[in-house]
Amino acid sequence: MISLRLLGEPDVTVDGHAQPLVADTSLWLLTLLASAAEAVPREELLELLYPDTEEGAARNRLRQALHRARTRPWGAGVVATPGDVQWRASSDVRTFREACRVGRWADALAVFRGPLLGTRRPAGLPAFEAWLDLERDDLQQLWIDAALSHAEALEASGQPGAAQPWLAQVMAVSPYHEDAVQLSLRCAARLGDVPGAAQIYERFRTLLRRDLGVVPTETTTALYGAVRAGRVAATEPPRPGAPRTPLIGRQAELGTLLARLDDPACRLLSLTGPGGAGKTRLALELLRRSSPRPVGAHLVALEAATSVPTVLSAVAAALGLASGSSEVPETQVIAALQAGPALLALDNLEHLLAGETRDGLLALLTRLLAAAPGVQLITTSRIRLGLQDEWVTPLGGLELPATPTLEGAAQSGAVRLFLERARRVSPELALTPQTLDGLLTVTTQTGGLPLALELTAGWLGALTLEDVAAELHRGLDDVGSDAADRPARHRSLRATFDQSWALLPRGAQVMLARLSVCRGGFDLGAARTVGGGSLQTLLVLGDHSLLTRDLGGRYALHAVIREFAAQQPDLPGEHAAASAAHATYYAGLARDAAPHLHGPEQQRWLARLHTEHANLQAALAHLAGAGDTASALALAADLHWFWYVRGHHREGYDHLTTALALPGGPDAARARALCAAGSLARDLGHHAATRRHLEDALTLARALTLPTLEAQAHHGLALLDRELGALDAALEHLHVAETLQRGGPDMWGLATTLNDLGIAQALQGDTAQARRLFQESLALKERIGDRQGVAYALANLGNVTESLTDFRRLTEQSLEIKRELGDRQGTANSLFNLADLHVNAGELPLARTQLTEALQLYVQLGRHRGTAAALLEFAKLCAAEGDSRRCVTLAGAADALARATGVPMQGVDISAVLLAARRDCGPDADDLYLQGQLLPLAGAIQRAIAPPGTAITPA
């Protein structure tokens, strides 16, 4: 009897004797055969295994491979005919798929040990590798579906405790899976575990807010409220990111597009059409209704993107990746997308396709599709991409009335949308025999374009429906001679905007044109300062549906309205003046925020800067382009701590170096910017640049007699030396910084220096001195209200305490503050420390959950030293779980990553554990360690977080 296992590390059992499988052509062939439900045609095997070989030679090589396979102990399972080849023994892949197909979730999960072939990959077989990636992604998605379905069945049968471990695993693999979160909340409620529910909800809420910029759906929040109140809701919410407003019309297009997304051949789906056709709204609906995917479904807003690097930054942000990674951004994005199937909607590409960025953008999209076989892209643009793999769906207006009757109008999406929008300013308007002709005119003359309908509906605040219809007739006549290559519906929108513009008083026209320089929305202060008008003028724009306002009070312009407003020819000089006012306003915002980022209001100011991120980027670009060195240096330096806390290290460093490259500027501002650049460069792993920036800052600070900046430069150099293992040099710099700061105005700087002095003393073994320094630092941080600093001091105090109870208490307090502030690196550090505590205490499931989150955060942030340390801790955890082989392999992976970073790991030592694991592995130990060293980072991470073999089925 032959039994083959390919999920996880592959092996085969023949007559009760298990044996591993060698990673050679026979294994790749076996995987293809055993993964298929039926016989595989020889032509398919040739395409996957020998795609570049002449047909005759390829067939000969396949015959030789089959001959070798049949000589293996498991060879009897391979049956070949002249036309195809089949695996006729059992296979865990087939068992898993069949169990999922018929809904035997427990049986399916029992055989799933990990990714197909574990971490093994062939070399030099790109076609097979592409197939393997697709197969792995598909199986991973099946596993998520099976785990969720099984957990749901357990919860429904009164076993919520048995469901929770499965849900934890799903959320570890797919952290934004709201269905899993909701089911976890229901399980916690049934167990009476309100604190556990709070932890689940708050972690999810923080993750969405910090990583994706969204919040849980109202239903999820209501469910959590019900749990806290002792009652459990049973409603099924929409997926995360669902639009607040219902989709009106587009049902035919929606059905067609969803079917295309279910087709594996459709990798690139383009929604094209004129501005205002509702492409973005339809893309959001596709994200909401598409099948769940492990890496999620994300909207990537590219309206403000100006280059391929900014496109990559936007994609990384949508995926929850920090721009502070030392990885090349494209490498970071590809690694995230290779984790499993994903759906990305790249919104508003036309401006990138119409200029010099076109070729670079198309090349990027081609690389992403090739490198991440599980990703599907939706693009929205007025211009089609022109790529061979593009599936194009052109969008025009909403469906017009099929007949000029009340019944025909009632079924028209265009009429329904116009009425829904019009009722906001004209509540009495309805579809009646008296209004039918006017509604037919409006919908026909606007071509049914959603934005045109919304703009036209806004006219009803000043005009009757009959007047609106008459204005549209005149407007279309005016543009009848427009360019021949402009689509008719686009001319309709232009005409609609022109009419809306003509209805505005002069002051409102000026304000709208000036506000077109804003990006990503703006608050009332910016509206007044940049727009140069009054609140009443702003309200006029709102009344005319040219401006929207969200529940938080922020204003925004539709991209098409912004474009049209920016192009108005009768307002010379207004755009330049508005850009200067915009930069001045947001530079002032950053200047006001900077002193609060270390005090009791730091969370509020960090959140505000996050909200204005796009405007701050635009302000920096304007100042650099205008050659305003002083303002550019000041703004970049003021944003340093925001970039640091929120993980935007690479973005911040790029802006700082751009400002520093400008000529002139005050030396004091240059010294501040150099200190900030040195800090971010260190976190990016640019050690030579770090030393250069900080030494230049030190020279300037000394020449200008600026002790605060001099201390900052010494402190930065100390952190660099400590990271490189030069503790004596680090201590020397820290003592100089302390001397400069004692008695000075920079209490936060002194507290931070004391904290890092404590770390250095702890590394040298003087825990008593370290404890005193941490306590003094904590007292200072509490006095100035620096909650982030308090969190770090608490964590460090925990690290040097002799009581495990105190360590747990202090570390958990630190973690709570870090989560509140959205400090992902600090959160990862605290989770790592707690996981180590729980490994030592034998609380292995909890340790695995915490360590998985820590590892994922380190990877998202691009912190290779933290990632290596987490892999090493996973090795320790695996040994405690009884998996010595995985322990040795992960230790090898951690060693390779640490060597690649060039930075020694400090405070992590599992030598005794590793020695015992090596003894358990016997003669295989060296090979296992080497395998770990050769693993790609993604493979090592998958190996680490995969559920242990003894814990696949929860007890």
Side-chain angles (χ1 to χ4, degrees), residues 727-776:
L727 280 179
D728 289 340
L731 280 166
E732 184 177 343
H733 280 298
L734 287 169
H735 285 309
V736 173
E738 180 189 8
T739 301
L740 290 166
Q741 291 164 333
R742 286 286 184 188
D746 188 9
M747 189 182 298
W748 179 86
L750 174 60
T752 305
T753 296
L754 293 172
N755 182 73
D756 286 305
L757 267 170
I759 294 174
Q761 295 289 357
L763 289 172
Q764 289 194 330
D766 191 347
T767 56
Q769 177 64 4
R771 190 178 300 111
R772 286 192 292 272
L773 289 164
F774 291 146
Q775 288 169 339
E776 184 179 359

Side-chain angles (χ1 to χ4, degrees), residues 495-583:
T496 303
F497 176 81
D498 287 344
Q499 288 295 332
S500 294
W501 181 264
L503 290 171
L504 290 175
R506 180 67 176 179
Q509 291 178 340
V510 172
M511 189 176 205
L512 183 61
R514 290 176 63 97
L515 289 175
S516 68
V517 305
C518 294
R519 293 294 180 268
F522 46 91
D523 60 17
L524 179 59
R528 285 173 162 165
T529 302
V530 179
S534 66
L535 176 60
Q536 186 60 42
T537 305
L538 197 67
L539 294 176
V540 169
L541 295 177
D543 289 341
H544 286 249
S545 297
L546 292 163
L547 192 71
T548 61
R549 184 174 183 270
D550 65 21
L551 296 176
R554 286 180 63 77
Y555 298 89
L557 300 176
H558 189 284
V560 175
I561 294 175
R562 177 182 290 112
E563 176 189 339
F564 287 162
Q567 293 173 352
Q568 291 305 305
D570 58 340
L571 296 172
E574 291 294 348
H575 190 275
S579 294
H582 177 274

Side-chain angles (χ1 to χ4, degrees), residues 136-294:
R136 281 176 171 169
D137 292 343
D138 186 46
L139 291 167
Q140 179 78 357
Q141 181 60 57
L142 275 177
W143 178 85
I144 290 175
D145 292 343
L148 274 175
S149 299
H150 183 51
E152 188 171 83
L154 288 170
E155 190 267 342
S157 65
Q159 302 178 71
Q164 284 184 316
W166 290 109
L167 294 169
Q169 291 180 38
V170 171
M171 289 185 288
V173 173
S174 184
Y176 309 120
H177 207 305
E178 196 149 6
D179 290 344
V181 172
Q182 291 174 3
L183 187 52
S184 295
L185 290 174
R186 289 198 290 271
C187 288
R190 295 193 64 171
L191 292 168
D193 184 11
V194 176
Q199 184 180 24
I200 293 166
Y201 177 80
E202 291 299 331
R203 180 180 302 168
F204 181 67
R205 183 173 66 89
T206 301
L207 183 69
L208 288 182
R209 184 179 68 248
R210 302 304 183 194
D211 293 359
L212 305 181
V214 299
V215 296
T217 62
E218 293 179 2
T219 308
T220 299
T221 302
L223 173 60
Y224 173 56
V227 172
R228 294 184 62 186
R231 49 187 176 79
V232 180
T235 55
E236 291 295 329
R239 300 260 304 282
R244 285 195 179 116
T245 57
L247 180 70
I248 298 177
R250 301 289 188 209
Q251 295 308 307
E253 294 99 327
L254 183 62
T256 299
L257 292 168
L258 287 171
R260 288 186 172 184
L261 289 176
D262 285 338
D263 186 343
C266 180
R267 303 283 312 287
L268 177 60
L269 183 62
S270 292
L271 307 181
T272 64
K279 300 183 293 293
T280 300
R281 180 63 185 82
L282 185 55
L284 280 170
E285 194 71 14
L286 290 172
L287 293 178
R288 186 178 79 88
R289 297 202 190 186
S290 65
S291 303
R293 297 151 199 251

Side-chain angles (χ1 to χ4, degrees), residues 34-72:
S35 298
E38 301 174 351
V40 181
R42 286 179 180 251
E43 286 73 16
E44 183 176 332
L45 296 174
L46 295 176
E47 291 173 3
L48 292 173
L49 296 176
Y50 315 109
D52 300 322
T53 305
E54 185 270 331
E55 184 179 356
R59 288 186 179 278
N60 186 52
R61 292 179 65 181
L62 179 58
R63 283 193 294 270
Q64 293 174 359
L66 289 170
H67 174 73
R68 287 193 299 270
R70 283 192 289 265
T71 65
R72 303 289 172 87

Side-chain angles (χ1 to χ4, degrees), residues 593-630:
H596 296 287
L597 298 183
H598 301 308
E601 294 188 85
Q602 60 188 180
Q603 185 176 10
R604 181 173 70 85
W605 283 97
L606 286 168
R608 187 171 179 191
L609 293 177
H610 174 76
T611 300
E612 302 293 358
H613 199 164
N615 281 312
L616 292 165
Q617 290 173 317
L620 282 160
H622 172 81
L623 293 173
D628 188 346
T629 305

Side-chain angles (χ1 to χ4, degrees), residues 50-104:
Y50 315 109
D52 300 322
T53 305
E54 185 270 331
E55 184 179 356
R59 288 186 179 278
N60 186 52
R61 292 179 65 181
L62 179 58
R63 283 193 294 270
Q64 293 174 359
L66 289 170
H67 174 73
R68 287 193 299 270
R70 283 192 289 265
T71 65
R72 303 289 172 87
W74 43 265
V78 178
V79 178
T81 70
D84 55 42
V85 187
Q86 187 174 16
W87 174 255
R88 290 192 179 174
S90 70
S91 153
D92 61 347
V93 178
R94 292 177 182 170
T95 301
F96 173 71
R97 286 189 177 278
E98 176 61 16
C100 289
R101 187 184 69 82
V102 299
R104 295 198 312 267

